Amino acid sequence: MKSRKAIYNAKGKRITVKSTSRMHDKAWEQFSIFIRKRGATKDGINQCITCSAQDHYKKLNAGHFRHNVLDFDEINVNVQCVICNKWNSGRRDIYARVLTLQYGHEAVEALHRRADLALKGEKKSYFDLEEIYLKYKAINECS
């Protein structure tokens, strides 16, 4: 039986699957706030990428174009209203058109390639997630 070397975080605590999952949740919380605030007015109003509905960023979602991969990709994740994101499954057809208008066909194709590669096994480590968490936490504190 192979023995695995334990990995510890900066505070000396052993990193487990559970702690990595918690760090993913913390990173997602900060990244989601960043996405929902990105482009918002000084009053916090932002608009859904797929239907243009406007609301306060705290009432909006950070919706994925490609699901279950590229969770922290700033092109893949954009502001969506709850209706589009949850009830209408992200309205992927409209999402694709808007992404193509905003970023260009080549960028959307590159996004699909990155997503396909990620599906083949890309997993973020605890340290990757901690770096994402700290980056977006700092950005959110400044905005």
Side-chain angles (χ1 to χ4, degrees), residues 1-8 14-18 20 123:
M1 185 166 144
K2 277 188 178 180
S3 69
R4 289 185 171 183
K5 187 174 179 182
I7 301 172
Y8 298 89
R14 186 168 186 219
I15 296 171
T16 64
V17 171
K18 193 173 185 178
T20 301
K123 292 225 181 224

Side-chain angles (χ1 to χ4, degrees), residues 27-40:
W28 173 253
E29 180 182 2
Q30 292 301 316
F31 183 73
S32 173
I33 291 168
F34 165 77
I35 292 295
R36 291 177 290 130
K37 285 173 107 176
R38 179 178 65 179

Side-chain angles (χ1 to χ4, degrees), residues 128-143:
D128 296 332
L129 294 167
E130 184 178 46
E131 187 177 312
I132 291 166
Y133 166 73
L134 293 171
K135 172 185 175 182
Y136 289 103
K137 183 177 185 210
I139 291 169
N140 292 335
E141 287 174 351
C142 292
S143 62

Side-chain angles (χ1 to χ4, degrees), residues 73-140:
D73 187 294
E74 292 182 20
I75 295 175
N76 188 52
V77 182
N78 290 277
V79 176
Q80 282 193 303
C81 67
V82 174
I83 293 170
C84 288
N85 190 36
K86 303 234 174 172
W87 299 338
N88 291 324
S89 302
R91 298 181 76 180
R92 199 164 164 208
D93 55 334
I94 297 169
Y95 206 146
R97 279 183 286 199
V98 175
L99 284 180
T100 302
L101 287 172
Q102 284 185 347
Y103 298 104
H105 181 73
E106 294 79 19
V108 175
E109 287 301 314
L111 179 68
H112 283 295
R113 285 192 298 277
R114 286 195 316 277
D116 291 343
L117 283 173
L119 283 171
K120 292 179 181 176
E122 176 192 290
K123 292 225 181 224
K124 299 240 183 278
S125 73
Y126 176 92
F127 299 107
D128 296 332
L129 294 167
E130 184 178 46
E131 187 177 312
I132 291 166
Y133 166 73
L134 293 171
K135 172 185 175 182
Y136 289 103
K137 183 177 185 210
I139 291 169
N140 292 335

